[in-house]
Amino acid sequence: AVCGLSPQAISSRRSTLKNRNSGFTLIEVLVALLVVAIAYTGVAQAISQFVDQRLMLVERHTSHRVAWNRLIEQYSISRGLNVDDREFGETEGFVTARRGRWQWRISEQEAAGDSLIRYQVDVFGEGKKQSDPASGSLVAFFTVPEGRR
């Protein structure tokens, strides 16, 4: 007998320990579920932020494309190119781009330079008012050609 215990007592203690360690306790399962829930919450927030940033970037990119097109048109007008489109020369309007309707507004003012004009195009996404911040804005400076002053 080892330590005063018979071989049958040692064998029954070993089988009791084996039976006790054969599964997870309720506390262990709950702690594991809590860890998984916390990790899932963090991943869901990261994905949500990614989607929001992507949508914002798509909106900004599209609004900059609309503004850039308007600035190119304004440049054509300032150079005296013949433009047949009735929309050219307008100071505001709507355009359809990327499955949406975008409102644009162009303003001009004299800049601190000899025959230099500052043009700013503000673009508003669908559902935004002009009192809201613009989805995108671009500014360009053009010189007035000698014959057009």
Side-chain angles (χ1 to χ4, degrees):
V2 177
C3 298
L5 295 174
S6 69
Q8 290 133 350
I10 292 173
S11 173
S12 79
R13 284 189 185 233
R14 282 186 188 158
S15 67
T16 303
L17 289 175
K18 282 182 185 178
N19 289 339
R20 202 180 278 174
N21 290 331
S22 64
F24 296 107
T25 65
L26 180 60
I27 298 292
E28 290 170 331
V29 170
L30 290 176
V31 168
L33 284 175
L34 179 66
V35 168
V36 168
I38 290 171
Y40 177 76
T41 303
V43 168
Q45 284 178 345
I47 289 172
S48 175
Q49 284 178 343
F50 172 76
V51 169
D52 290 345
Q53 287 177 349
R54 184 184 178 284
L55 291 175
M56 182 189 68
L57 287 173
V58 165
E59 180 179 345
R60 184 171 293 161
H61 177 262
T62 305
S63 65
H64 282 172
R65 279 185 35 222
V66 170
W68 183 250
N69 287 340
R70 291 297 156 191
L71 283 174
I72 293 299
E73 291 170 2
Q74 190 62 43
Y75 179 77
S76 299
I77 291 168
S78 73
R79 293 295 172 242
L81 299 174
N82 285 336
V83 179
D84 293 334
D85 191 348
R86 282 183 279 145
E87 201 172 278
F88 274 31
E90 297 291 325
T91 57
E92 62 183 41
F94 289 91
V95 66
T96 301
R98 202 180 273 277
R99 293 181 236 118
R101 194 161 157 83
W102 300 80
Q103 182 177 7
W104 58 271
R105 179 182 60 221
I106 188 166
S107 60
E108 69 177 66
Q109 64 187 34
E110 287 190 28
D114 188 29
S115 68
L116 193 63
I117 306 290
R118 177 186 188 269
Y119 294 97
Q120 177 171 337
V121 180
D122 296 315
V123 180
F124 304 90
E126 196 166 15
K128 288 194 176 184
K129 302 176 208 152
Q130 287 192 0
S131 59
D132 294 340
S135 299
S137 293
L138 286 179
V139 174
F141 293 87
F142 301 142
T143 57
V144 179
E146 288 293 323
R148 296 188 51 95
R149 286 187 196 175

